[in-house]
Amino acid sequence: MKTMVAAALLGLGIFAGLLGLGYQASTSIMATKMLDRSVTVKGLAQMEVNANIAIWPIPFTAVDNNLNQLYQSVSHSSATIIAFLKEQGFSDDEITQAMPAIDDRQAQGYSDPNVRFRYSAKTTISVYSNDVDKVRRAQQQILQLLQHGISFATDGYNSRVQYLYTQLNDVKPEMIQLATQNAREVAEKFAKDSQSQLGKIKQASQGQFSISDRDSNSPHIKQIRVVSTITYYLSD
């Protein structure tokens, strides 16, 4: 009799244990499924900043039939431009001059009778400055140099002022925060519409920062943009 009772109790214990394991397994599977519920959203952050560096190339040309006179003409024009830039407040450290490129049109086989001068020289004086506003003011006065007989080589890209923004690290933390906030707002809207609760961040990745001109008329104003991709857990 005692043996039968002991066997029955053992069986009940095993059965209860199996039920417990089954319940735990079921609970674990449900919890795993809950963790699998997530939503992936993108957060955008944009900011406008002023460029902090300006690179201003000033290319000019000179022509002559005599090399010595051509050299004197280039030297005189260079000195006149540099004097103008110093009057505008630029220092020697901000001004550089490239070596002139000289073409001998006869040596290149030109026989056009309309070409009056055998030699042509092209050179560039550049300004590299942290004072963007000063560069923009000086640009407005550059036509004064036409009175000195200087011929500017306005050949598109090579004569354009480049405006740069090199202080990205100063605004990165704020922009990442803004992108994360934007992503959370989108995720909360999704969770509300799906009658869910937004949980913790499951995964996050920061996109590349891009810097571009705000528009073609304001290249000195830059637009910084970053998109972050964030995955949140969802729960009922």
Side-chain angles (χ1 to χ4, degrees), residues 49-54 130 132 162-166 219-222:
V49 296
N50 292 321
N52 64 299
I53 290 177
N130 294 323
V132 173
Q162 296 182 57
Y163 294 100
L164 308 177
Y165 182 74
T166 62
H220 61 288
I221 301 177
K222 302 297 181 180

Side-chain angles (χ1 to χ4, degrees), residues 49 164-166 168 209-213 222-225:
V49 296
L164 308 177
Y165 182 74
T166 62
L168 182 59
F209 280 83
S210 64
I211 303 177
S212 59
D213 297 345
K222 302 297 181 180
Q223 185 176 76
I224 307 175
R225 188 175 187 271

Side-chain angles (χ1 to χ4, degrees), residues 63-78:
V63 292
D64 208 293
N65 286 316
N66 183 284
L67 273 177
N68 185 52
Q69 291 179 0
L70 180 69
Y71 172 78
Q72 293 179 6
S73 177
V74 171
S75 298
H76 178 266
S77 295
S78 297

